[in-house]
């Protein structure tokens, strides 16, 4: 007969004690120390490898309330949709990651309209070879993905990329102030000259 006993100890995921009765040998298997995933991912600040002048995203670290004005190229201002965004340094300070949520968590339900549903993340990784940020965005709700290159352009942060169908994209953080900013997302029209507004958010710092 074998008796299995589970003993928990703070700082460890578990200690499994296997007792073999009738003179059999006792063996103890100790699990590895449980990792705090956020502590592994997060960083206290920008890596010294990134020049201060090239730090296009550190100012965003923290939490923001969002007012949604345009989404998926539709004017939704009259719907008064509210969202939230959160930014943090990660990967030893060589990247800034965010989470964009719409509608905000306190208003999300199981039957949220998928056309106006966003719970996605951006990873902005500093690339010293090009002295700019390589950006990947994904919203798993809709499968929307983007890859761009971002850097300061005057007083704005501009990100440009090309979709799989060849469409050029331009996303910008503009009208930047200590407690607010405007974000706009555009795609180049087939004429190759004019830009179509696809997304627009007004953000105010929460903390």
């Amino acid at each position: 007969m074998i008796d299995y006993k589970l003993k928990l100890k703070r700082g460890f995921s578990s200690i499994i004690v296997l007792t073999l009765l009738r003179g059999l040998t006792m063996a103890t298997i100790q699990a590895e120390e449980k990792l705090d995933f956020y502590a592994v991912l997060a960083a206290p600040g920008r890596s010294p490898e990134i020049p201060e002048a090239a730090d296009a995203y550190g100012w965003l670290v923290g939490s923001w309330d969002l007012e949604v004005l345009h989404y998926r190229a539709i004017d939704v201002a009259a719907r008064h949709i509210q969202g939230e965004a959160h930014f943090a340094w990660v990967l030893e300070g060589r990247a800034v990651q965010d989470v964009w949520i719409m509608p905000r968590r306190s208003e999300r339900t199981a039957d949220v309209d998928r056309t106006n549903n966003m719970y996605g993340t951006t990873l902005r990784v500093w690339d010293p070879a090009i002295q700019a940020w390589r950006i990947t965005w994904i919203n798993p709700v809709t499968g929307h993905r983007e890859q761009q290159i971002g850097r300061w352009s005057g007083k704005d942060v501009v990100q440009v990329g090309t979709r799989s169908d060849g469409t050029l994209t331009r996303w910008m953080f503009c009208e930047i102030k200590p407690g607010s900013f405007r974000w706009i997302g555009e795609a180049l029209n087939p004429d190759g000259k004019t830009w179509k507004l696809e997304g627009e958010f007004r953000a105010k710092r929460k903390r």
Side-chain angles (χ1 to χ4, degrees):
M1 179 180 179
I2 300 177
D3 179 24
Y4 294 88
K5 296 182 179 180
L6 179 65
K7 180 181 179 182
L8 299 179
K9 184 177 181 180
R10 184 179 181 183
F12 295 89
S13 56
S14 65
I15 298 177
I16 302 174
V17 180
L18 176 60
T19 304
L20 302 179
L21 299 179
R22 296 181 182 178
L24 296 180
T25 307
M26 177 181 291
T28 301
I29 302 173
Q30 181 173 294
E32 293 184 358
E33 185 175 356
K34 184 177 180 180
L35 295 176
D36 180 341
F37 181 77
Y38 180 77
V40 173
L41 178 66
R46 181 180 75 248
S47 166
E49 298 173 7
I50 303 174
E52 184 176 357
D55 180 1
Y57 299 105
W59 62 274
L60 283 162
V61 169
S63 296
W64 304 77
D65 289 322
L66 303 176
E67 178 186 5
V68 187
L69 303 177
H70 286 83
Y71 190 67
R72 299 175 70 129
I74 298 174
D75 185 343
V76 296
R79 303 184 191 181
H80 303 290
I81 301 173
Q82 303 295 309
E84 57 186 284
H86 309 272
F87 297 77
W89 285 104
V90 298
L91 305 178
E92 294 188 313
R94 297 183 180 89
V96 172
Q97 186 167 7
D98 65 40
V99 180
W100 292 67
I101 305 169
M102 178 189 76
R104 54 192 172 191
R105 287 173 294 169
S106 61
E107 299 172 352
R108 296 181 69 79
T109 62
D111 58 350
V112 173
D113 179 7
R114 291 180 67 85
T115 59
N116 291 310
N117 187 348
M118 178 174 61
Y119 208 117
T121 187
T122 315
L123 186 63
R124 300 176 169 86
V125 181
W126 172 250
D127 185 346
I130 61 173
Q131 289 292 293
W133 299 78
R134 294 193 182 274
I135 296 156
T136 299
W137 155 260
I138 182 169
N139 179 20
V141 177
T142 61
H144 181 196
R145 298 169 181 263
E146 299 280 358
Q147 289 189 322
Q148 299 174 319
I149 301 295
R151 52 170 57 90
W152 280 109
S153 178
K155 295 181 179 181
D156 303 329
V157 178
V158 180
Q159 303 175 184
V160 294
T162 305
R163 291 175 176 158
S164 58
D165 63 0
T167 301
L168 298 180
T169 62
R170 181 175 67 188
W171 293 2
M172 290 186 288
F173 293 87
C174 56
E175 300 176 27
I176 298 171
K177 298 179 181 179
S180 64
F181 65 85
R182 178 184 176 216
W183 183 95
I184 58 175
E186 301 173 309
L188 190 65
N189 283 313
D191 62 12
K193 298 179 180 179
T194 58
W195 294 86
K196 176 176 65 176
L197 179 63
E198 293 186 329
E200 181 182 13
F201 300 85
R202 292 276 183 182
K204 292 185 178 180
R205 182 174 286 280
K206 187 173 183 179
R207 63 176 185 272

